[in-house]
Amino acid sequence: MHCRSLLFTGSFVLLLAATPAGAQPASHPPGDDLEPGWHIVRPGDTLESLANRYLGSNQLWRRLAELNRDILNPNKIEPGQRVRVLVPVRGTLPLARVDRVSRKVEEQPHPNPWAEARPGDLLVERDAVRTYRASSAVMDFRDGTSLRITEDSLVFLNRASGRLQGTSTHAVEIVEGQADVELGQARAAGGSAPEAGRPEVEIVMGNTRAVSKPAASGTGQTRARKAEGGGAKVMVYGGEGAVEAGGATVQVAQGMGTSVEKEGPPGPPEKLLPAPSLSYPADGAVAVCASLRVTWQPVPESQSYTVEVCRDAQCAELVERTVSATGGEWRASVLPPGDYFWRVTARSRSGLDGYPSATSRVSVREGMADATAPAGSIKILGTTVRIDDKLYVPPTVALEVAAADGGSGLSGWQPRVDDKDSSLEAWTGVWPAGAHTAGAVALDLCGNRGPIAPVSFIVDSVPPVLAWTPAGPPQEQFRSRRGRRLRRGDPGDQVGFLWVPSDPYGRLRWDERWRTAPAGTVHQSVEIASDLPTFFIKMETARLLLDGKPLPADKGEKQEENKGIVRLDATDAGARVTKLILRTESTEAGPVLTIEAIDGVGNVATQELKIERVAAANPER
């Protein structure tokens, strides 16, 4: 299978500086400084050819045979087999070595098929390396240059074109994705120093060409990314650089970056955002969550953040990565026990990556992670009415959530209304009429979710109904004395609106003070507490008008004593009427009788009836 036919998120081509055509590598006798490596056998390889390639003489094949005692015939080694070889520390071979791999990384020693990549493997011209999701690899080169390959990337090694003269050079072509290039970094093997000289790296991304140059110290660091739509992003963290596109070139100093559209030219250099300040967990802390939670202080002018979790402090061994975190918090997946390092990089609105933060160490230990969900309850506050198995509440019902977590601590809770995720505004606003359930899901700082049992209620938003009918009072409430009906505490000649609980009805008698009192004056007031209030009024020297029309009263056809009596019923289909208030008041338009019926959850129905004076003998006139 041809490696270029595979599909990946990131793809790079690396071109290595090569020994001039026809030149033979110098012979390195056994006493020279050598370091070990692993060569993957290609078709036609023998120990003699490998000795000639790496040590400069096929006569030194016995040196390799001593390192590979399992090889019985030096002329018969199989393609794909790993053979231990020796490489000159200060050699000029067009050679890269796989230094670190994390998770799933593969290599293709051309023309062999793809196989698992391992640290120490030596890659030469036309070889390739690819990484998968949440995987990474680091490749070192002979001059101390290092290439960090992040997830979903594809890298090819080929001969350099020789465009850069007088320096140790590499060329990196980024087809898709991103590359981090570090210049002048000594390799770890044997503690050897990098090759003399100041290496430069040419980076090609479509129509954009960038050159990364080291500082006077010989070190430098550049990140280049192929942007969506064919453009490019170049960021210089150390050393300096130059970016050419669309016939124009801009110099990019350390701490600056530039954006390039598909056809160029490069935009003016911008200052890179500072490294975010990490907040939680503290460096060296033990994680309390099965799913690692990290927080940081947001960086002004940032659009998003890249968060990386690695096995090493240099973040070369990637474990997990996101490029779209927002705000100041992110949660990784569940990590197996071990030590980890994490860091955060802010990305500006123009798409340039700022400086990455220093890595912070965190330990995940067996059995110490909080996997217990929080618990809680919901309480309905304020006025409620329970009738049989139904609970009635007002439209502005107040709900209180009490939740706690004994592990990592409570993070918050998510409201649920009628078995669906909702918002806090829905809880604090006006509820629609009808039956509802209010539940919640409590969240702790480790992401554990604990459902909270919902409460059920009926929102009553309909006020009571007031109805007037002509009717005499209940006969059993009357007492007879000397041929006329009386009540205890007979008011005699008193005027106004008169009623006591023992009376079968209230009496409405004209009171001249109603006419002369200042507007707003309340004269008499009656309050009845009942779930089914009914009130009788006998209009004697005054009558009541509703909407300009007299109330229909009993005409006394059966009993003269009932003449002029009206009945007021206050009903409510929900929380029921709990209070009925009647009061006489003076207004600018004249005296009125105000009626208020209040149900159990506070809905109020109001009526205002005009009071007119009439002759005592005939209250209907």
Side-chain angles (χ1 to χ4, degrees):
M1 177 176 63
H2 198 287
C3 58
R4 291 183 184 270
S5 65
L6 299 171
L7 297 178
F8 302 95
T9 301
S11 175
F12 315 117
V13 178
L14 175 66
L15 308 177
L16 286 175
T19 303
Q24 294 295 325
S27 175
H28 296 275
D32 275 10
D33 291 337
L34 302 172
E35 59 184 4
W38 291 95
H39 173 85
I40 298 91
V41 176
R42 281 78 164 172
D45 282 346
T46 64
L47 288 188
E48 286 189 354
S49 66
L50 297 183
N52 187 63
R53 168 181 286 187
Y54 293 113
L55 300 178
S57 172
N58 57 9
Q59 299 299 319
L60 298 176
W61 66 269
R62 288 183 175 83
R63 186 71 184 273
L64 301 183
E66 292 175 1
L67 299 174
N68 300 277
R69 295 183 180 276
D70 58 328
I71 298 178
L72 301 179
N73 187 340
N75 294 316
K76 290 186 179 181
I77 51 180
E78 298 296 328
Q81 182 180 354
R82 281 183 169 82
V83 175
R84 198 160 182 79
V85 297
L86 295 173
V87 182
V89 171
R90 295 177 176 83
T92 58
L93 293 171
L95 173 65
R97 184 182 65 176
V98 178
D99 183 49
R100 297 186 183 185
V101 295
S102 177
R103 300 171 73 107
K104 187 175 182 180
V105 181
E106 295 180 340
E107 62 191 6
Q108 186 186 42
H110 184 80
N112 296 349
W114 289 96
E116 178 188 359
R118 299 180 185 178
D121 287 351
L122 301 175
L123 302 177
V124 295
E125 177 186 351
R126 302 175 68 186
D127 290 352
V129 172
R130 69 184 177 193
T131 60
Y132 289 81
R133 180 67 177 168
S135 303
S136 64
V138 176
M139 299 169 63
D140 290 340
F141 303 98
R142 307 302 296 166
D143 58 5
T145 299
S146 177
L147 178 68
R148 178 174 179 248
I149 309 168
T150 191
E151 60 183 350
D152 298 324
S153 301
L154 180 61
V155 177
F156 294 94
L157 308 184
N158 282 311
R159 291 184 181 274
S161 62
R163 294 182 61 177
L164 302 179
Q165 301 297 328
T167 60
S168 176
T169 64
H170 308 295
V172 179
E173 182 182 359
I174 302 177
V175 180
E176 289 182 1
Q178 174 178 294
D180 287 309
V181 177
E182 294 191 14
L183 304 176
Q185 298 297 315
R187 290 179 297 144
S192 57
E195 190 177 1
R198 297 179 61 193
E200 296 182 1
V201 175
E202 179 185 50
I203 306 168
V204 179
M205 295 164 286
N207 297 324
T208 301
R209 174 180 174 270
V211 177
S212 177
K213 302 178 182 181
S217 62
T219 62
Q221 185 179 6
T222 298
R223 173 175 293 177
R225 181 172 63 252
K226 187 73 171 294
E228 295 182 4
K233 306 288 182 181
V234 179
M235 293 134 285
V236 178
Y237 303 111
E240 57 184 334
V243 180
E244 175 188 344
T249 301
V250 298
Q251 301 297 319
V252 184
Q254 178 174 317
M256 306 291 285
T258 182
S259 300
V260 185
E261 297 299 329
K262 183 177 182 180
E263 303 299 333
E270 302 176 27
K271 186 176 180 180
L272 301 180
L273 294 177
S277 176
L278 306 185
S279 302
Y280 176 87
D283 188 27
V286 176
V288 298
C289 302
S291 176
L292 178 63
R293 170 181 171 265
V294 298
T295 66
W296 60 92
Q297 295 298 319
V299 175
E301 300 183 6
S302 63
Q303 183 182 45
S304 61
Y305 298 88
T306 297
V307 186
E308 297 167 291
V309 179
C310 314
R311 280 287 189 182
D312 63 310
Q314 293 73 37
C315 229
E317 299 180 35
L318 185 66
V319 175
E320 192 161 350
R321 176 174 179 260
T322 181
V323 297
S324 57
T326 57
E329 180 176 345
W330 179 74
R331 190 180 301 280
S333 61
V334 176
L335 301 174
D339 290 336
Y340 298 90
F341 297 83
W342 63 283
R343 68 180 183 182
V344 181
T345 304
R347 180 171 292 183
S348 69
R349 296 185 180 94
S350 61
L352 296 176
D353 293 344
Y355 279 90
S357 69
T359 53
S360 180
R361 183 173 63 87
V362 61
S363 298
V364 176
R365 297 181 182 174
E366 185 75 37
M368 294 190 64
D370 176 14
T372 303
S377 61
I378 299 176
K379 181 187 297 184
I380 301 177
L381 304 179
T383 303
T384 62
V385 173
R386 181 170 293 280
I387 301 176
D388 298 328
D389 61 343
K390 297 178 180 179
L391 182 68
Y392 291 90
V393 300
T396 55
V397 57
L399 302 169
E400 180 182 73
V401 174
D405 183 80
S408 58
L410 190 68
S411 172
W413 53 275
Q414 169 69 48
R416 288 180 59 81
V417 174
D418 301 334
D419 297 326
K420 297 179 181 178
D421 288 344
S422 186
S423 64
L424 187 59
E425 289 75 13
W427 281 48
T428 58
V430 177
W431 286 68
H436 298 283
T437 60
V441 176
L443 306 173
D444 68 13
L445 292 174
C446 286
N448 298 311
R449 298 168 60 89
I452 299 178
V455 293
S456 299
F457 51 82
I458 299 174
V459 174
D460 181 2
S461 61
V462 180
V465 176
L466 297 173
W468 296 91
T469 56
Q475 295 301 311
E476 63 270 15
Q477 294 187 16
F478 283 82
R479 295 182 180 180
S480 181
R481 180 182 296 175
R482 294 182 183 178
R484 66 188 186 95
R485 301 182 185 279
L486 299 173
R487 67 176 175 83
R488 185 179 301 172
D490 191 350
D493 295 331
Q494 295 182 37
V495 295
F497 182 53
L498 310 173
W499 183 82
V500 293
S502 59
D503 196 24
Y505 50 73
R507 300 173 184 270
L508 186 66
R509 297 173 177 174
W510 180 259
D511 188 340
E512 194 62 30
R513 291 173 298 179
W514 292 343
R515 193 196 308 272
T516 59
T521 302
V522 176
H523 300 281
Q524 295 92 15
S525 180
V526 172
E527 182 175 313
I528 302 172
S530 172
D531 59 350
L532 293 172
T534 298
F535 193 81
F536 295 86
I537 300 177
K538 181 175 179 61
M539 297 180 290
E540 296 183 347
T541 60
R543 66 177 181 177
L544 298 174
L545 287 80
L546 179 62
D547 297 330
K549 298 180 179 179
L551 291 181
D554 192 304
K555 298 180 179 180
E557 294 176 348
K558 295 183 178 180
Q559 289 182 314
E560 180 65 21
E561 293 85 350
N562 293 345
K563 180 178 288 188
I565 294 179
V566 292
R567 172 175 173 168
L568 170 62
D569 290 290
T571 58
D572 188 88
R576 297 183 181 176
V577 178
T578 58
K579 187 181 295 185
L580 186 66
I581 300 174
L582 302 91
R583 60 179 177 269
T584 55
E585 303 177 66
S586 293
T587 69
E588 294 182 355
V592 297
L593 176 66
T594 301
I595 314 292
E596 287 185 1
I598 306 171
D599 69 11
V601 295
N603 296 306
V604 180
T606 303
Q607 276 189 0
E608 189 175 272
L609 297 94
K610 185 177 181 180
I611 304 176
E612 284 188 347
R613 183 175 184 176
V614 296
N618 188 1
E620 290 291 17
R621 290 182 301 179

